[in-house]
Amino acid sequence: MAEITRLIHKYLRHDKKFPHVWCPGCGNGILLGSLIRGIDRTGLEKDDIVIVSGIGCSGRISVYVDFNTLHTTHGRALTFATGIKLANPRLHVIVIMGDGDATAIGGNHFIHAARRNLNLTAIVVNNSIYGMTGGQYSPTTPYGALATTALYGNIEHAFSIAELAVMAGAGMVARGTVYHASLLDDLIEKAIMKRGFSVVEVISHCHTQYGRRNLMGDAVEMMRRQKESAVKIEKVASMSEEELQGRFTIGILVDRDLPIYTHEYRKIREAARAAPSRIR
Amino acid sequence: MIPKKSPGRQVLLQGNEAIVEGALAAGCRFFAGYPITPATEISEVMSYRLPAVDGTFIQMEDEIASLGAVIGASLAGVKAMTATSGPGFSLMQENLGFACVAEVPCVIVNVMRGGPSTGLPTHVSQGDVMQARWGTHGDHPIIVLAASTTQDCFSVTVRAFNLSEKYRTPVIILTDEVVAHTREKIYIPHQEEVEVVDRIRPNMPPDWYIPYEDNSRGVPPMSPFGEGYRCHVTGLIHDVRGFPTQRPDEIVAFMNRLFRKINQHFFDIQTVSEEHMDDAEIVVIAYGSVARSARRAVKDARLRGVKAGLVQLVTLWPFPRQIVEPLLRRVKAVLVPELNMGQMSREVKRVNQGATRVETLNRIDGSLITPGEILNRLMKM
């Protein structure tokens, strides 16, 4: 059996929920492929994996994959994931969110999940726009870009999801693109196996809602831009400021060993069992 | 009453602490919360009680996150609870709707304080009765229980968990600042004396499991994540397999089952406690801390020759119509005292349909309604 057929049969609800809702050329399909390839490489059992997603185009991924899946409320995916992981630390919890989902409505949950360093994997699909609702500007829409709620140009400044995660204290932070699909496979595999809170920012494109309005061409043209703008982390040191202007880094940005929440909580349990009860 | 030679124990607790004891007795092993007066003691006590019994406490970044984590824990198979007050309860409404539609058992305690908005921290109120019923958007059934004494806090919390597990639904406990902070002696039964209900799990092989399939009870069995059933849980309206649907026939079937599982079990869910009702002519219908004032007022009215009775509502929603309606047909007048502008009295009047005289006694100044106030009104009725 061809590798792709094996993966589809093993990991997708191919006989239940397809065709999917995404536009032809959407980056979500490439991410879905990377996700199941990355998971397959980890060798984890399907029963031990929980996919939690938020609301938006990327949120639909949870419907299509054959794991324990949870499609939450908008922006709250990480909070549900926190409860699942604490209740059953044996489970591998992978959270998939969009840029608006994770950093606008869910921004508070995002930084606090990173700060706690729970052993979760957060994948943030960043297409710079609210796609499902029709192209409104998000926290990652560039300054000056056009959106259906910024017809005169966006006057807000975008922030970097990966850098936000680094500053908030995540154990591992990586950035990839849907163009660099095989790198993305690697990043997702490493993020799942990382012991601690791992974030993978996935630079994607929304040619339907963002590219079209900003005259950036079709899906292929937008992916070409990803190829041209991305700089592998290994090459950054050898490049000048000017060369890096307007470009972004891909690869593992940070990988550090920090105390993991569930391990710390084990100590709390031991202390609590040893302490004389104040109530009995 | 405390049974002789009881294996249980008597302890001095406040309402908030009794809620923790009730939750632990019912099997709660996960709590997520955010500090808010007058509910904070529940978090504080949970933070040192839960880890000692292999449970988990976490203080989240807000109340939205708290209920999110509670739902996640419940989906992973652990009984879970959160506690808050008015402002936090408002933030929880979004995820409360999720728990309703995805049918996730969980318990939410709302220790009511004066509102709206930041309102009157930390004065007593019963202003969230309607929010508990209708706070989350969309049509949905909900179970809301009210505790009136510290002893109640224990037993109502056990019951809340049991109903939540039995019907796969969030259950809200409404207490108020007075109930929460009244410290008194209560009886905590031995664990073996506590009736504990656990959710029904699927007993068929995973391939045969249809996660939201209807049955005679209207409550499908629920599998925790990680045990081979690999189902999909969503806040979208879904078909019997749990996948989003927009087919009218599937939407109707789902919504009807959601309501039916509560409606067809009204008699199991509805609880009131009646006192002096055999020959009562004038009846007080009350709940929460006000029911306590009413109990004393009814006793005093009896001493003055007035045939008064008390109906204390333990179940607020679904409104115990089957119990209240016949009673309204046989008494001369009803008084509904409450710490709001008239939220439950509105429901009593709706059920009454003009059959008897319904009077209200409302207080919204952050103080408790005293027995004397209720007695005065009873003597004039």
Side-chain angles (χ1 to χ4, degrees):
Chain A
M1 203 188 309
E3 177 67 2
I4 187 72
T5 315
R6 186 185 71 80
L7 289 173
I8 286 171
H9 278 254
K10 184 167 180 189
Y11 294 109
L12 298 188
R13 288 168 171 153
H14 58 93
D15 54 345
K16 290 181 178 145
K17 280 317 289 180
F18 283 82
H20 59 67
V21 298
W22 300 315
C23 305
C26 179
N28 282 333
I30 300 171
L31 168 66
L32 176 59
S34 273
L35 178 72
I36 61 172
R37 284 191 296 272
I39 288 174
D40 190 60
R41 286 198 211 158
T42 65
L44 296 171
E45 291 291 325
K46 289 200 288 184
D47 290 343
D48 296 339
I49 293 174
V50 186
I51 304 284
V52 184
S53 67
I55 297 291
C57 296
S58 62
R60 289 297 178 121
I61 282 185
S62 62
V63 179
Y64 306 131
V65 286
D66 187 23
F67 303 103
N68 306 283
T69 55
L70 173 60
H71 188 196
T72 67
T73 43
H74 192 25
R76 320 299 177 206
L78 280 167
T79 72
F80 287 64
T82 299
I84 294 167
K85 186 69 186 178
L86 291 176
N88 187 352
R90 189 180 57 82
L91 296 170
H92 292 265
V93 185
I94 302 166
V95 186
I96 297 166
M97 299 167 283
D99 45 303
D101 198 28
T103 61
I105 189 166
N108 200 26
H109 309 310
F110 184 69
I111 56 175
H112 288 282
R115 178 179 64 83
R116 281 186 196 109
N117 200 36
L118 258 164
N119 196 359
L120 300 172
T121 305
I123 297 172
V124 186
V125 188
N126 180 3
N127 63 2
S128 310
I129 203 82
Y130 285 91
M132 189 169 260
T133 48
Q136 298 77 27
Y137 64 90
S138 86
T140 56
T141 303
Y143 179 83
L146 300 179
T148 51
T149 46
L151 292 171
Y152 305 108
N154 181 24
I155 56 169
E156 296 185 15
H157 295 274
F159 58 33
S160 157
I161 294 173
E163 284 167 41
L164 181 68
V166 171
M167 293 313 292
M172 174 187 154
V173 180
R175 192 191 281 120
T177 79
V178 291
Y179 173 82
H180 302 84
S182 59
L183 173 69
L184 193 55
D185 297 357
D186 284 346
L187 296 178
I188 289 175
E189 180 197 355
K190 291 201 172 83
I192 294 168
M193 297 317 284
K194 169 71 187 174
R195 296 169 68 79
F197 190 76
S198 52
V199 177
V200 182
E201 179 187 2
V202 183
I203 304 294
S204 186
H205 54 272
C206 181
H207 50 290
T208 310
Q209 300 292 6
Y210 184 76
R212 193 175 44 158
R213 195 159 287 116
N214 288 285
L215 307 176
M216 294 173 81
D218 59 8
V220 176
E221 189 54 39
M222 289 186 81
M223 286 178 74
R224 187 170 291 134
R225 279 172 202 268
Q226 290 168 20
K227 178 190 174 191
E228 285 160 5
S229 310
V231 181
K232 291 215 166 113
I233 185 92
E234 299 82 11
K235 288 189 187 157
V236 171
S238 62
M239 290 172 73
S240 67
E241 284 277 304
E242 292 80 51
E243 285 173 307
L244 288 169
Q245 195 61 41
R247 305 179 76 178
F248 57 85
T249 319
I250 56 170
I252 295 175
L253 311 185
V254 161
D255 189 354
R256 51 195 172 188
D257 285 321
L258 302 169
I260 297 169
Y261 191 94
T262 42
H263 294 185
E264 295 292 305
Y265 201 78
R266 259 184 240 154
K267 294 182 204 162
I268 297 283
R269 283 184 179 165
E270 281 160 25
R273 273 193 293 265
S277 174
R278 284 153 63 185
I279 206 154
R280 287 226 173 89
Chain B
M1 286 299 286
I2 297 155
K4 275 187 179 172
K5 287 185 186 171
S6 158
R9 59 204 160 99
Q10 293 178 62
V11 281
L12 181 69
L13 292 181
Q14 56 161 263
N16 278 345
E17 292 168 337
I19 283 177
V20 174
E21 294 305 314
L24 294 176
C28 173
R29 289 296 178 271
F30 185 89
F31 183 97
Y34 184 82
I36 188 167
T37 312
T40 310
E41 293 88 355
I42 301 177
S43 283
E44 289 176 347
V45 180
M46 278 293 191
S47 77
Y48 72 80
R49 292 279 279 144
L50 270 174
V53 292
D54 276 341
T56 308
F57 165 89
I58 186 168
Q59 184 171 306
M60 295 299 285
E61 53 273 17
D62 58 29
E63 288 88 348
I64 302 170
S66 301
L67 188 50
V70 161
I71 293 169
S74 183
L75 286 167
V78 175
K79 290 188 190 177
M81 180 174 101
T82 183
T84 187
S85 187
F89 191 54
S90 294
L91 288 181
M92 287 180 185
Q93 296 304 327
E94 176 194 34
N95 282 339
L96 179 60
F98 184 95
C100 287
V101 93
E103 299 176 71
V104 185
C106 57
V107 173
I108 299 142
V109 180
N110 175 8
V111 183
M112 292 183 284
R113 72 185 209 193
S117 189
T118 314
L120 278 175
T122 61
H123 292 282
V124 68
S125 161
Q126 295 179 320
D128 304 347
V129 170
M130 280 297 171
Q131 194 195 13
R133 176 64 194 88
W134 294 113
T136 196
H137 56 278
D139 269 324
H140 63 283
I142 193 87
I143 298 177
V144 181
L145 308 178
S148 167
T149 64
T150 310
Q151 186 71 55
D152 265 7
C153 284
F154 180 88
S155 55
V156 165
T157 305
V158 172
R159 188 161 159 71
F161 271 97
N162 288 349
L163 289 174
S164 156
E165 293 284 314
K166 197 168 177 183
Y167 299 113
R168 282 191 67 173
T169 179
V171 175
I172 297 160
I173 300 173
L174 290 183
T175 71
D176 55 56
E177 191 277 329
V178 167
V179 174
H181 290 154
T182 300
R183 195 172 281 280
E184 58 190 336
K185 186 173 77 177
I186 71 159
Y187 169 67
I188 295 183
H190 189 266
Q191 186 63 48
E192 283 169 15
E193 289 178 64
V194 181
E195 189 204 349
V196 175
V197 178
D198 294 323
R199 66 192 71 168
I200 292 174
R201 298 187 176 206
N203 55 6
M204 64 287 276
D207 284 350
W208 296 3
Y209 178 52
I210 303 172
Y212 290 92
E213 192 180 33
D214 200 357
N215 55 33
S216 61
R217 294 171 60 243
V219 186
M222 183 176 181
S223 166
F225 283 155
E227 295 196 359
Y229 287 86
R230 294 202 306 277
C231 55
H232 184 61
V233 178
T234 177
L236 289 162
I237 302 294
H238 40 272
D239 61 19
V240 290
R241 298 174 307 168
F243 296 126
T245 182
Q246 298 195 13
R247 266 176 51 185
D249 58 329
E250 290 177 339
I251 298 167
V252 170
F254 170 72
M255 290 298 282
N256 282 345
R257 181 178 62 73
L258 209 59
F259 277 85
R260 202 192 84 225
K261 76 174 179 182
I262 302 297
N263 293 352
Q264 83 176 26
H265 298 104
F266 267 161
F267 285 101
D268 183 38
I269 295 166
Q270 295 179 350
T271 315
V272 305
S273 117
E274 301 185 3
E275 284 174 34
H276 305 293
M277 283 303 294
D278 291 344
D279 60 344
E281 292 174 348
I282 296 173
V283 171
V284 185
I285 297 180
Y287 54 94
S289 56
V290 177
R292 215 165 174 169
S293 297
R295 182 170 295 118
R296 173 64 189 265
V298 164
K299 209 181 268 178
D300 290 349
R302 288 256 164 191
L303 290 175
R304 286 165 174 75
V306 176
K307 286 186 175 172
L310 170 68
V311 174
Q312 182 199 327
L313 305 178
V314 177
T315 308
L316 300 187
W317 304 108
F319 183 72
R321 179 179 190 141
Q322 283 82 343
I323 299 168
V324 173
E325 199 171 13
L327 172 157
L328 289 164
R329 303 271 177 285
R330 67 168 209 259
V331 301
K332 287 182 180 158
V334 169
L335 177 67
V336 187
E338 50 187 337
L339 297 168
N340 54 47
M341 294 295 272
Q343 297 191 13
M344 206 31 111
S345 61
R346 189 186 167 91
E347 194 66 11
V348 173
K349 284 175 185 167
R350 184 182 71 80
V351 171
N352 183 47
Q353 295 283 318
T356 191
R357 185 155 56 98
V358 176
E359 291 194 11
T360 60
L361 173 55
N362 307 106
R363 195 158 182 178
I364 48 158
D365 59 356
S367 318
L368 189 59
I369 297 179
T370 63
E373 284 174 87
I374 299 174
L375 179 65
N376 278 344
R377 284 293 292 274
L378 286 177
M379 298 310 288
K380 285 178 195 157
M381 280 170 79

